[in-house]
Amino acid sequence: MYLNLKMLVSTIFLITFLTGCWKQSDVVTIKSDGSTEFETDIVITEKGFTTKDVEELTSEFVKGLKSAGWQVEKKWVSKSVPFKLSFSGRGNIRQVKSASDFYKIQKINEDTYSIRFVPAEAKGGKSSRSMQFKRGFFGGAKIIDERGNEVKAIDNVLGNQTYKIVF
């Protein structure tokens, strides 16, 4: 129990410490059947971190995605400052659960889901997470903003904006 509490406290500290030194860029493809793939590039510029710190933190994030139903692979691109990692994953948007560190999802009906992306916040409230949405060659789901417009990219993810995934 004490070890789990210690790990939780250290993870919260690392997340707080990362604020402003974490840049995340996601490319997401959602097909008509709900199968979803993502590619994520992360750059950590904080000079006080070690490879071990980054490994522990990102392993916790991967664990959260896997428990939500995603298949995720992590690859180190650079193990020196700035640390660079690449993640790829796949799952079915109709079957995965929310992953609280990255997104909140809710089924509205068979053809529509509500999704809110969680930013990797930076100093001054600006997000350091960007997203790009691609559609497959044969079409796929659309991401729609609150005004009904199709979204192809989000330059600055804000946690208070909700989108719809429409099949």
Side-chain angles (χ1 to χ4, degrees), residues 31-77:
K31 297 180 183 172
S32 296
D33 64 357
S35 60
T36 304
E37 296 179 356
F38 66 85
E39 296 287 330
T40 300
D41 293 320
I42 294 177
V43 177
I44 301 171
T45 57
E46 182 58 47
K47 293 185 174 140
F49 278 159
T50 66
T51 304
K52 182 181 176 187
D53 294 332
V54 174
E55 182 65 38
E56 287 177 9
L57 180 64
T58 56
S59 291
E60 285 297 313
F61 287 148
V62 168
K63 185 177 170 182
L65 285 168
K66 285 184 176 182
S67 70
W70 295 98
Q71 296 173 8
V72 182
E73 296 176 21
K74 175 172 75 172
K75 177 181 156 190
W76 279 92
V77 177

Side-chain angles (χ1 to χ4, degrees), residues 21-119:
C21 56
W22 176 290
K23 293 181 182 176
Q24 179 176 338
S25 175
D26 301 313
V27 178
V28 180
T29 304
I30 305 172
K31 297 180 183 172
S32 296
D33 64 357
S35 60
T36 304
E37 296 179 356
F38 66 85
E39 296 287 330
T40 300
D41 293 320
I42 294 177
V43 177
I44 301 171
T45 57
E46 182 58 47
K47 293 185 174 140
F49 278 159
T50 66
T51 304
K52 182 181 176 187
D53 294 332
V54 174
E55 182 65 38
E56 287 177 9
L57 180 64
T58 56
S59 291
E60 285 297 313
F61 287 148
V62 168
K63 185 177 170 182
L65 285 168
K66 285 184 176 182
S67 70
W70 295 98
Q71 296 173 8
V72 182
E73 296 176 21
K74 175 172 75 172
K75 177 181 156 190
W76 279 92
V77 177
S78 171
K79 288 190 174 186
S80 60
V81 177
F83 299 107
K84 295 179 183 177
L85 296 100
S86 177
F87 297 83
S88 60
R90 61 193 154 284
N92 192 304
I93 203 74
R94 297 175 188 265
Q95 297 168 351
V96 296
K97 298 178 263 178
S98 287
S100 59
D101 289 327
F102 299 99
Y103 64 90
K104 308 251 191 273
I105 190 167
Q106 182 177 7
K107 181 178 180 177
I108 296 174
N109 60 46
E110 286 301 314
D111 294 326
T112 308
Y113 289 76
S114 168
I115 192 162
R116 185 171 51 85
F117 300 103
V118 178

